Amino acid sequence: MKISIINGPNLNLVGKREPEIYGTQSLENYLQLLATAYPDVQFTFFQSNVEGEIVDEIHRVGFDSDGIIINAGAYTHYSLAIADALSAVAAPAIEVHISNVHAREEVRRHSELAPVCVGVIAGFGLDSYRLAVEALDAIQKNG
Ligand code: DQA
């Protein structure tokens, strides 16, 4: 199974950024351990602070991956371009968030991406990414 994990703006600072919200472990370190825990999964990892680069990455992997796990950061809440890119490709996508966006500011409750994703996982810290891997695995096995 091929899974592409795509991260948006400011997620490169997880570990240092607002640790009371996002924790103290870096995303890079977490994703390395995640890959080790799933030796049968072929992962690709991508992070960018630039909207168009995220769109390009979705185009690049979206016809070759079995699933996309996307944390688009703040773009989640307003990027029609990223939503359109997810709609355009074949791979099913799961939206993830480290924090529980529904327990935060009102603006974070809206997602442009959720309607074009299979589902949303939010609020489990970095473990949200592992839960999304499990969800894609179940989709592949059970349809
Ligand atoms: C986030 C939640 C977003 O609202 C925020 O802009 C982020 C991180 C999360 O993972 O909890 O950058 O996507």
Side-chain angles (χ1 to χ4, degrees), residues 2 5 7 10 22 36 47 58 70 90 98 117 120-122 137:
K2 289 186 191 173
I5 301 189
N7 285 293
N10 301 306
Y22 300 110
T36 312
Q47 189 276 330
I58 293 168
I70 183 156
I98 299 165
C117 288
V120 179
I121 298 171
D137 189 44

Side-chain angles (χ1 to χ4, degrees), residues 63-114:
F63 294 97
D64 188 41
S65 293
D66 298 302
I68 292 174
I69 294 171
I70 183 156
N71 183 351
Y75 286 138
T76 305
H77 311 300
Y78 63 92
S79 176
L80 206 49
I82 293 175
D84 282 350
L86 291 171
S87 293
V89 299
I94 298 189
E95 176 184 324
V96 305
H97 298 285
I98 299 165
S99 65
N100 179 356
V101 284
H102 298 284
R104 300 180 63 190
E105 306 95 304
E106 181 72 37
V107 68
R108 294 186 205 273
R109 292 190 194 160
H110 173 76
S111 169
E112 284 294 330
L113 312 188

Side-chain angles (χ1 to χ4, degrees), residues 16-37:
K16 293 185 188 132
R17 167 194 186 197
E18 298 175 277
E20 66 289 359
I21 298 175
Y22 300 110
T24 53
Q25 186 178 9
S26 76
L27 185 57
E28 204 183 348
N29 174 255
Y30 173 82
L31 292 176
Q32 270 172 12
L33 294 173
L34 185 71
T36 312

